[in-house]
Amino acid sequence: MNEDKALYPPVDPVMTGIKGLCPRCGQGKLFDGLLKVRPACSSCELDYGFADSGDGPVVFVILIVGFVVVGAALWMEINVNPPLWLHFLLWIPLATVLSLALTRMLKGVLINLQYRNNARPGEIDRG
């Protein structure tokens, strides 16, 4: 995975992950659609078979979006006291949009950090 250090300069894994770019060249797209990872980079041909972000980004998204949306909904309920239909109209679309956008960004960052740190699944040493 890291045999190409001389050909490609290092890229910032956080910025390329947020933008959804390739962890090796920083040019090709990482995603095919909203959250599906492409099979390979269109620019440098890096195989994305190593990319497995798991449930990590989703856990952070649940915590962050839940804190923001529930906090804002409670503040609005206490200070404005709107009808229930207005709560549904505001907070359900906001939670959906924030969750999808943040999941894409965090998934990209995690995949870029996996590549940068040469992360692999754990193995049992059978000695």
Side-chain angles (χ1 to χ4, degrees):
M1 191 172 358
N2 285 334
E3 67 276 353
D4 53 4
K5 288 183 180 178
L7 298 176
Y8 298 97
V11 295
D12 180 28
V14 175
M15 288 310 297
T16 53
I18 289 173
K19 294 177 184 177
L21 299 175
C22 174
R24 180 164 68 181
C25 67
Q27 301 296 317
K29 293 184 178 182
L30 182 63
F31 295 105
D32 189 20
L34 189 60
L35 294 173
K36 183 182 176 193
V37 178
R38 289 176 175 253
C41 177
S42 57
S43 294
C44 69
E45 313 263 328
L46 173 66
D47 181 28
Y48 293 147
F50 70 91
D52 181 23
S53 62
D55 294 333
V58 178
V59 171
F60 288 113
V61 167
I62 289 170
L63 293 172
I64 294 168
V65 172
F67 177 78
V68 170
V69 171
V70 170
L74 286 174
W75 178 87
M76 187 173 208
E77 179 64 33
I78 291 170
N79 291 319
V80 180
N81 197 12
L84 190 58
W85 63 268
L86 187 58
H87 276 297
F88 288 132
L89 193 65
L90 286 173
W91 306 120
I92 291 175
L94 180 67
T96 304
V97 169
L98 281 176
S99 296
L100 289 173
L102 198 55
T103 300
R104 180 182 169 101
M105 287 189 282
L106 289 178
K107 188 173 183 177
V109 169
L110 212 59
I111 290 171
N112 274 274
L113 286 171
Q114 273 182 331
Y115 178 79
R116 177 82 175 263
N117 295 313
N118 199 16
R120 295 196 170 119
E123 297 175 0
I124 297 174
D125 185 15
R126 305 248 185 231

